[in-house]
Amino acid sequence: MIFILFWNFVISSEYYTEINGADNDICHILSPCSFSRMAALAKPKDIIYVNGQTIEEPDDLEQIRDLFMIALSKGAIITSNNMTINGTKFRKSAISFIVVQSTTDSRIDHFHFTGFSCSIACFRTVEKGVISNSYFTNNHIIGGIGMLSFGVGKCKLEECILSKNTVLNSSLITMFSTHLYLNLTIIERNFVKSTSRQALLFAINSVCEYTNTPIRYNSSPYAPLHQFEFRSCFGFWNCTFEFNKHPETMLCDGTCEFNFTNTTISNNMGSFLTTSIRSIVSFNESAIIHNYSGNRPLFYLPGSSFYIYHPCSFVENHGFSLIDTTGMKSIINI
């Protein structure tokens, strides 16, 4: 292991780049190179520091877009001092502002994305893709594949904030045959416009693990918070769902498996979980308190299984019922 760590250290390099950098091969902190030159020099595991506070002009957005796509496709790490990338003037020309495809290891770190009306990042067939320490706020996504899209790979959101975004006929996060891991990521105050029937977080045939992640104050008159189709498996550890307002916090239209461990579900409006048949739901050491499902059950589980393996608290929940299976053979093990 020591040899591997040393080898990784040796082959990686650090570079500095900025929008008006020089066309040189040094890319030093005292002499940053241009985005185009940096993209050409990038190698796997290189760390690329982007100088500056804001990128917002159309031509500048195109230049940093090229840097992201070329360097990330080579497996580099691109970071900044919390640079704001304002996509208000971005001239949409593809499915996403950043597309990362068919690479083994790439990372976006310490950026603030705002003002976009289209997809911001799309990771496809990526063995390991990471977005860390980044903010996604005040974006207004209209149609397309979602603000963040992950397909056929393994990806991670680490210590990110997704806040005050709106979506119309789209999603904040879409997952297609993906293993997505969210850790210490805040998802709050996002809104699905009323004409949209698509969920805020949408998954098809995916595995998703949430740890230490609060999901709160999100709302939609018609769309669910999470929607799962085909086969999906989701786990929540030390998470919080609170003050969300949706017809369903989670809707499974397929065969799904859910596990909630040390998770608090409180003060939400709407059915918390609605599944189709042959789904499995389990709770461990969690609290389900002060939720209101109106004329719906809090858990609608026809032909499914519901387990509580370790002590949980159900306190002051109100609605049509706590659990409803509508006459189908189901397993309820409390």
Side-chain angles (χ1 to χ4, degrees), residues 40-262:
L41 293 173
K43 305 183 304 296
K45 301 186 183 298
D46 282 346
I47 302 173
I48 300 170
Y49 294 91
V50 182
N51 290 344
Q53 296 300 314
T54 305
I55 294 286
E56 59 183 354
E57 294 304 321
D59 291 342
D60 296 345
L61 288 166
E62 290 295 337
Q63 290 186 53
I64 197 168
R65 178 174 182 257
D66 289 342
L67 171 64
F68 273 118
M69 293 201 294
I70 296 172
L72 292 172
S73 69
K74 296 179 179 180
I77 299 169
I78 302 181
T79 187
S80 75
N81 186 21
N82 294 316
M83 169 182 275
T84 295
I85 300 179
N86 188 329
T88 305
K89 300 178 183 179
F90 173 58
R91 298 184 290 252
K92 183 180 177 182
S93 58
I95 62 170
S96 183
F97 178 65
I98 301 169
V99 178
V100 186
Q101 185 167 310
S102 302
T103 186
T104 56
D105 194 349
S106 58
R107 179 188 289 258
I108 299 171
D109 179 66
H110 278 105
F111 284 92
H112 178 199
F113 296 90
T114 188
F116 283 86
S117 61
C118 65
S119 173
I120 297 175
C122 174
F123 286 75
R124 298 187 300 193
T125 60
V126 174
E127 186 174 319
K128 181 183 178 184
V130 180
I131 302 176
S132 60
N133 301 293
S134 293
Y135 291 74
F136 298 84
T137 65
N138 294 300
N139 298 286
H140 308 284
I141 309 302
I142 303 172
I145 59 174
M147 187 177 77
L148 302 175
S149 178
F150 305 94
V152 192
K154 294 182 180 179
C155 296
K156 183 177 184 180
L157 291 176
E158 175 82 26
E159 296 187 59
C160 292
I161 294 177
L162 286 67
S163 177
K164 299 179 181 178
N165 303 287
T166 62
V167 295
L168 174 63
N169 300 323
S170 188
S171 299
L172 278 191
I173 299 176
T174 57
M175 295 157 268
F176 304 96
S177 299
T178 294
H179 191 149
L180 181 63
Y181 178 54
L182 291 87
N183 182 47
L184 294 167
T185 290
I186 297 172
I187 302 174
E188 65 177 8
R189 302 185 188 279
N190 301 290
F191 179 63
V192 180
K193 289 188 177 180
S194 60
T195 56
S196 173
R197 299 291 296 177
Q198 190 166 327
L200 203 68
L201 299 100
F202 181 71
I204 297 178
N205 193 38
S206 294
V207 175
C208 194
E209 300 176 71
Y210 291 66
T211 61
N212 310 301
T213 291
I215 302 170
R216 60 201 181 198
Y217 296 103
N218 302 287
S219 64
S220 166
Y222 302 109
L225 177 63
H226 287 78
Q227 183 172 340
F228 313 96
E229 295 190 2
F230 193 46
R231 296 186 62 88
S232 294
C233 180
F234 275 62
F236 302 88
W237 290 270
N238 195 32
C239 294
T240 303
F241 292 85
E242 59 182 359
F243 298 102
N244 299 291
K245 186 178 181 181
H246 297 268
E248 303 93 5
T249 302
M250 297 188 181
L251 172 63
C252 171
D253 186 12
T255 303
C256 301
E257 183 171 347
F258 301 92
N259 174 264
F260 301 88
T261 299
N262 196 27

Side-chain angles (χ1 to χ4, degrees), residues 288 297-300 314 317 319-324 334:
I288 300 91
L298 190 62
F299 295 93
Y300 180 59
F314 290 80
N317 299 288
F320 177 77
S321 63
L322 182 66
I323 301 173
D324 186 3
I334 299 178

Side-chain angles (χ1 to χ4, degrees), residues 302-329:
S304 296
S305 300
F306 182 88
Y307 300 95
I308 294 179
Y309 291 116
H310 296 284
C312 294
S313 299
F314 290 80
V315 179
E316 290 291 339
N317 299 288
H318 299 273
F320 177 77
S321 63
L322 182 66
I323 301 173
D324 186 3
T325 64
T326 49
M328 298 186 69
K329 184 177 180 180

